């Protein structure tokens, strides 16, 4: 299971240090939550901060664009050093064009689904993506509770990917912590976004990552 900390709940007053701490603790990617205040009721950051994060780590970074008409910004994100851009299917009526454009810019292409968006909305897109992001919270904020019905959606998507022998990354995003990451993995996810479970006021980054790894190791033992 690959771990991708979301920097959304990191301490932005020392963002570079927070990124280095997570890299040192043994994560696999960084997940950068870009929000426009229109597709979601929150505004976060744009290409400038993404570029600063990419400069602070040797690990790959993915930009999760919770943004209307995201294709307006693909060129800008291609310049930041991110390896992958994930668009929301609900914000992308011209999805084929968006995914092809991302790949033509040398980026991996990902598509995200909000918690109640039918999986059928992305089934035709599977041949054109490198990753599917299953949202397990309503996008907009870190620190929300995991929506349990996401597990059944992950299982169904895993069945579709396996039946079609597609080696696409199945990533889950929102409310994941040491208590539920085992269930997320066993449902068929291959990658987990972890925000408040890594950047927390009560636990060091190193200890948080270790707890997540410990929880995953237990699932193998049992
Ligand atoms: C929510 C973002 C998620 C979120 C994850 O809109 O897409 O990446 O920051 O944070 P946690 O893990 O705290 O739910
Ligand atoms: Zn996200």
């Amino acid at each position: 299971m690959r771990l991708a900390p979301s920097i959304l709940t990191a301490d932005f007053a020392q963002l570079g240090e927070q990124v280095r701490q997570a890299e040192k603790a043994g994560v696999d990617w960084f997940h950068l939550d870009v929000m426009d205040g229109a597709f979601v009721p929150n505004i976060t950051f744009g290409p400038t901060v993404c570029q600063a994060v990419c400069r602070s780590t040797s690990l790959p970074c993915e930009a999760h664009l919770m943004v209307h008409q995201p294709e307006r910004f693909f060129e800008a994100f291609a310049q930041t050093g991110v390896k992958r851009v994930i668009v929301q299917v609900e914000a992308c009526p011209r999805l084929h064009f968006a995914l092809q454009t991302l790949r033509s810019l040398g980026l991996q292409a990902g598509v995200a689904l909000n918690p109640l968006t039918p999986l059928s909305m992305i089934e035709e897109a599977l041949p054109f993506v490198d990753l599917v992001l299953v949202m397990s919270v309503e996008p907009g904020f870190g620190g929300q509770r995991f929506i349990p019905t996401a597990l059944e959606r992950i299982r169904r998507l895993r069945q579709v990917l396996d039946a079609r022998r597609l080696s696409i990354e199945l990533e889950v995003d929102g409310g994941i912590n040491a208590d539920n990451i085992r269930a997320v993995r066993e449902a068929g996810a291959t990658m987990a976004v972890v925000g408040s479970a890594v950047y927390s006021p009560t636990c060091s980054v190193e200890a948080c990552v270790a707890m997540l790894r410990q929880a995953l190791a237990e699932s193998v033992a049992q």
Side-chain angles (χ1 to χ4, degrees), residues 21-22 25 178 197-198 200 202-215:
Q21 285 172 5
V198 167
S200 147
T202 58
C203 173
S204 73
V205 170
E206 184 187 8
C208 284
V209 173
M211 271 196 295
L212 291 163
R213 291 295 186 199
Q214 176 59 33

Side-chain angles (χ1 to χ4, degrees), residues 138-212:
E138 279 295 356
F141 301 92
Q144 300 181 80
R145 284 177 58 79
F146 183 86
I147 299 173
T149 51
L151 288 175
E152 192 272 331
R153 287 162 59 81
I154 298 163
R155 276 192 285 275
R156 262 190 293 130
L157 179 56
R158 170 49 56 206
Q159 281 167 357
V160 170
L161 297 181
D162 290 354
R164 293 171 61 173
R165 298 193 197 300
L166 293 170
S167 57
I168 293 169
E169 192 84 80
L170 199 173
E171 187 175 33
V172 183
D173 185 2
I176 297 177
N177 55 43
D179 297 331
N180 60 26
I181 195 166
R182 172 184 310 180
V184 169
R185 176 175 176 274
E186 285 163 9
T190 54
M191 189 163 175
V193 177
V194 277
S196 46
V198 167
Y199 294 114
S200 147
T202 58
C203 173
S204 73
V205 170
E206 184 187 8
C208 284
V209 173
M211 271 196 295
L212 291 163

Side-chain angles (χ1 to χ4, degrees), residues 9-92:
T9 50
D11 175 357
F12 274 66
Q14 48 168 342
L15 186 56
E17 182 49 30
Q18 294 260 272
V19 166
R20 280 184 288 276
Q21 285 172 5
E23 177 171 359
K24 190 156 164 275
V27 298
D28 302 290
W29 282 67
F30 282 96
H31 182 87
L32 312 177
D33 286 309
V34 178
M35 300 181 192
D36 65 359
F39 181 75
V40 290
N42 190 8
I43 295 174
T44 54
F45 48 80
T48 308
V49 171
C50 293
Q51 186 162 38
V53 172
C54 292
R55 279 206 315 263
S56 306
T57 178
S58 57
L59 294 177
C61 297
E62 60 184 13
H64 176 193
L65 303 188
M66 287 158 277
V67 169
H68 277 304
Q69 298 166 331
E71 58 272 14
R72 294 172 293 159
F73 306 105
F74 287 172
E75 298 256 349
F77 281 98
Q79 305 302 319
T80 63
V82 300
K83 187 170 181 184
R84 179 158 59 215
V85 167
I86 304 167
V87 296
Q88 293 279 159
V89 66
E90 303 87 355
C92 250

